[in-house]
Amino acid sequence: MSGLISTTSLWETDKILALSTHTRHRHVPSPISPNFAAPPAVLSFSFGSLALAAAVARTATTWDDAPADLLDGLQRSALIELETLVEGGSTFELKSHFRFLADTHRSQFAAKVGAGMTDLYMNVLGYTWRANAACLSSTLDPHADFIYDGGNVASHGVVLAEAHGSFATGTSRQSVKRQAKRKYARQVKPYIGTASPFGKVIHGYSVAFGSSPGTPGGFLSLSETKITRPRGTRGPPAPVSDGARPDGTPTSIVLAAHRSNFLLMGAIDIVDWIDRIRLGDGVAPESEPVEFIRLQYAGRSYLACVPWLWRADLPPWWVEDLFEHPGWWRHVRGPRRLTSVAGGPRFGWFVIEEKAGAEFLNALTGIIRSGGRAIPSTLQLPTFQPVGLGLPDGDGAAASREGEYRYALFRDGLALLGDPFRGRLRDVVIWSPNEGLSLR
């Protein structure tokens, strides 16, 4: 596997999606956490094609124990469908190809896009870290899809998010609203106030997205827990700012989020170590070094897996830089690192912001050195203002106009670069399970 995906056919124009309806559901007791204040609902937001593509991939790979090769296949198929079935332009619209799909395939695709839209919206609200919510029930009882931490919920607990997508003929504002309310009542409300491995659930959301095939436009409906406060109490606290939070983030949800992130990057050795730490059993992975490229892109430095492929359209300066570091090629250890990518010269590349990746990998080394006996309860990690999604024409709006870098950056540091060859190779960075990061 590698972190490269084809983005040749994805649309160029940012889409703007308005919130169609917003419903608050009463809960007793309220609030669950006295000092928690939910962020205000965002009435409209913009997103580029790379942001939605990345969000679909993020949600497709947010499974705690699923095999890495399965999740990789799921995210790749989801991205191919997205570029094949969604029109360009500033308004969401399905391509005419959609009518040729069987009903089950239509439902599956709608669910993937609904999950991606939910992840975008949760990031716009300020939430950062994600995990699968299957941990809430060991039975077939319905439960929400995802758990989020960070933003306003930091230090209070976690929030639930149920995702729903519908691309049925005749989908309307009211039908999407009904789905959001129904999903909240069945799959979110029963778990408010319960414990999870990632913290107490103190708030919940149901996000439903729908569009009628052949009709431009989409509907986004939000249902969430209503917070009731006695009269005369002080207003809500200010939202948590970007940057490392003082008390750190629970290690359990960081490991869950970065399992997905490094899987998307193609760093299977890192995924293996995360699984070893989280499960606490099985044979330890090989203690071989893992190579990363340090890439300068759009004013930031990122860590990316080495692209073990040879292409005729690689820029000449990339080839020169590769030969300046012949040590890279000595570490190829098998066919799982060799990837053949079809398509034109433009690719999407999953990477992680350097500071976010470095601090996590060094923390991972500390846990490995202890033999898994000293897993800290929290980790101090940076967060970032999103790029490629945000308020229309705001700081987080997508940069997809001609001449600008094409990429999406999420709050946890994961980014999808739409034109990675515009970046500049700087160094080779080696991560050793027992020694941490070092420059070659």
Side-chain angles (χ1 to χ4, degrees):
M1 286 192 298
S2 103
L4 290 164
I5 62 169
S6 172
T7 58
T8 306
S9 302
L10 292 178
W11 68 84
E12 296 288 341
T13 305
D14 302 345
K15 296 188 184 299
I16 298 177
L17 185 62
L19 186 64
S20 304
T21 63
H22 181 202
T23 305
R24 292 183 175 88
H25 298 254
R26 295 182 61 185
H27 192 87
V28 179
S30 179
I32 302 298
S33 178
N35 295 318
F36 169 72
V42 174
L43 300 183
S44 67
F45 68 100
S46 67
F47 58 92
S49 59
L50 290 172
L52 181 57
V56 169
R58 281 159 57 93
T59 52
T61 54
T62 305
W63 288 88
D64 292 347
D65 302 320
D69 56 349
L70 169 64
L71 297 181
D72 181 65
L74 290 176
Q75 64 96 359
R76 288 176 183 274
S77 65
L79 293 166
I80 292 172
E81 290 176 333
L82 189 66
E83 65 183 17
T84 304
L85 297 172
V86 178
E87 291 280 11
S90 60
T91 301
F92 187 91
E93 183 180 359
L94 295 167
K95 290 183 178 180
S96 59
H97 303 338
F98 185 79
R99 65 189 176 91
F100 295 102
L101 300 182
D103 289 345
T104 53
H105 198 167
R106 291 185 181 194
S107 298
Q108 291 169 358
F109 179 64
K112 294 173 186 178
V113 175
M117 289 292 191
T118 299
D119 190 51
L120 292 180
Y121 195 75
M122 296 299 284
N123 266 263
V124 172
L125 288 179
Y127 299 110
T128 304
W129 306 98
R130 71 197 187 282
N132 193 279
C135 60
L136 293 175
S137 176
S138 59
T139 69
L140 296 178
D141 291 340
H143 53 76
D145 293 308
F146 307 109
I147 289 174
Y148 282 87
D149 193 1
N152 281 28
V153 80
S155 305
H156 296 286
V158 295
V159 301
L160 277 185
E162 165 64 12
H164 177 75
S166 175
F167 292 153
T169 301
T171 296
S172 66
R173 177 178 181 272
Q174 287 303 315
S175 68
V176 174
K177 177 181 179 180
R178 286 194 296 270
Q179 286 292 349
K181 293 175 66 176
R182 183 178 68 86
K183 292 282 187 177
Y184 180 92
R186 294 188 64 214
Q187 293 168 239
V188 178
K189 181 178 175 61
Y191 300 97
I192 302 298
T194 62
S196 83
F198 309 106
K200 187 176 183 179
V201 177
I202 65 167
H203 197 71
Y205 298 89
S206 173
V207 182
F209 174 73
S211 182
S212 181
T215 304
F219 306 97
L220 184 72
S221 188
L222 175 68
S223 284
E224 70 171 303
T225 311
K226 182 179 181 180
I227 297 178
T228 304
R229 298 183 186 278
R231 292 184 178 181
T233 56
R234 298 177 59 184
V240 175
S241 61
D242 288 333
R245 76 195 211 194
D247 61 334
T249 303
T251 302
S252 56
I253 200 164
V254 169
L255 291 174
H258 276 322
R259 184 185 196 268
S260 166
N261 292 344
F262 281 91
L263 171 68
L264 292 172
M265 291 170 59
I268 300 303
D269 290 341
I270 306 299
V271 175
D272 290 343
W273 276 110
I274 291 174
D275 286 345
R276 165 69 173 175
I277 291 168
R278 295 178 69 226
L279 299 176
D281 56 11
V283 179
E286 298 179 13
S287 296
E288 296 288 341
V290 179
E291 313 82 17
F292 293 95
I293 289 173
R294 185 166 169 263
L295 182 69
Q296 195 75 23
Y297 185 94
R300 290 184 184 272
S301 291
Y302 293 91
L303 298 181
C305 284
V306 176
W308 296 117
L309 70 165
W310 185 261
R311 296 184 47 85
D313 54 14
L314 280 175
W317 52 266
W318 269 68
V319 177
E320 293 172 3
D321 286 350
L322 285 172
F323 279 106
E324 285 179 5
H325 298 282
W328 292 2
W329 305 99
R330 291 200 299 268
H331 296 288
V332 182
R333 296 199 311 280
R336 68 176 177 175
R337 289 192 176 276
L338 298 174
T339 304
S340 175
V341 184
R346 295 170 55 196
F347 294 93
W349 198 357
F350 279 106
V351 298
I352 193 163
E353 197 279 339
E354 181 182 19
K355 184 175 177 61
E359 293 192 13
F360 171 73
L361 290 172
N362 284 329
L364 196 63
T365 292
I367 297 173
I368 293 170
R369 283 175 177 170
S370 73
R373 294 183 298 273
I375 301 178
S377 59
T378 62
L379 294 176
Q380 291 278 359
L381 297 174
T383 59
F384 306 89
Q385 184 69 25
V387 175
L389 63 149
L391 302 179
D393 300 321
D395 292 338
S400 60
R401 293 181 293 276
E402 185 177 357
E404 295 184 352
Y405 288 95
R406 296 181 60 252
Y407 71 110
L409 171 66
F410 289 79
R411 292 185 181 275
D412 58 7
L414 181 72
L416 178 58
L417 312 184
D419 48 0
F421 295 150
R422 288 193 64 180
R424 191 73 186 179
L425 301 178
R426 293 303 182 192
D427 305 292
V428 182
V429 180
I430 305 297
W431 177 74
S432 167
N434 294 309
E435 297 179 9
L437 279 177
S438 61
L439 291 178
R440 173 163 291 280

